[in-house]
């Protein structure tokens, strides 16, 4: 089984930047993709972006495409989310998730890290 631990959340003013990290441990060789999701208070969890583990292909939600960047470190089995030009509407708990080979969807989740953007 894979375990995920996020870090790097915090509070920032609008226009600022944060970098989130997610380190995976365990059976990471079976990972198909890793991604970031977020959930704001009173809202459903939404997809932010993902990176395919085999070839590094990336895909983003339209709302963050020009501002957020996902990267990975294959040696550390980690992914990162560089968030620039942050907006108050980016405030949410950000979750790292792994889609393991053979699973229908993202099946391993971290506990999340809070990002708060003030205006």
């Amino acid at each position: 089984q894979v375990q995920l631990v996020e870090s790097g959340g915090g509070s920032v003013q609008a226009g600022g930047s944060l970098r989130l990290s997610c380190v995976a441990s365990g059976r990471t060789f079976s990972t198909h993709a890793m991604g970031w999701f977020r959930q704001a208070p009173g809202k459903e969890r939404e997809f932010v972006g993902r990176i395919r583990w085999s070839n590094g292909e990336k895909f983003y939600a339209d709302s963050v495409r020009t501002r957020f960047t996902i990267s990975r470190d294959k040696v550390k089995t980690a992914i990162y989310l560089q968030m620039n030009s942050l907006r108050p509407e980016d405030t949410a708990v950000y979750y790292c998730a792994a889609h393991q080979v053979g699973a229908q969807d993202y099946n391993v989740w971290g506990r999340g890290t809070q990002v708060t953007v003030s205006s």
Side-chain angles (χ1 to χ4, degrees):
Q1 184 66 312
V2 177
Q3 295 83 40
L4 305 174
V5 178
E6 305 100 331
S7 62
S11 298
V12 65
Q13 290 191 327
S17 299
L18 282 174
R19 184 177 187 246
L20 306 184
S21 301
C22 172
V23 179
S25 60
R27 297 171 62 89
T28 57
F29 63 86
S30 62
T31 300
H32 169 66
M34 292 183 69
W36 290 97
F37 294 75
R38 66 186 182 185
Q39 187 166 20
K43 295 187 177 181
E44 294 187 353
R45 185 173 59 199
E46 66 173 354
F47 170 79
V48 173
R50 64 100 171 118
I51 183 165
R52 187 169 292 171
W53 208 249
S54 60
N55 60 7
E57 179 189 40
K58 304 171 189 179
F59 184 78
Y60 300 93
D62 288 343
S63 59
V64 307
R65 188 183 307 279
T66 62
R67 301 182 295 123
F68 291 7
T69 302
I70 293 176
S71 60
R72 67 173 175 176
D73 184 327
K74 294 188 76 174
V75 173
K76 295 180 180 179
T77 315
I79 63 169
Y80 308 94
L81 182 67
Q82 178 66 43
M83 304 184 293
N84 297 328
S85 301
L86 282 162
R87 305 166 179 169
E89 53 263 41
D90 294 318
T91 295
V93 177
Y94 283 70
Y95 297 91
C96 175
H99 178 180
Q100 291 186 284
V101 173
Q104 295 274 341
D105 203 340
Y106 290 89
N107 61 318
V108 182
W109 295 83
R111 293 188 175 184
T113 185
Q114 176 70 46
V115 171
T116 302
V117 184
S118 58
S119 57

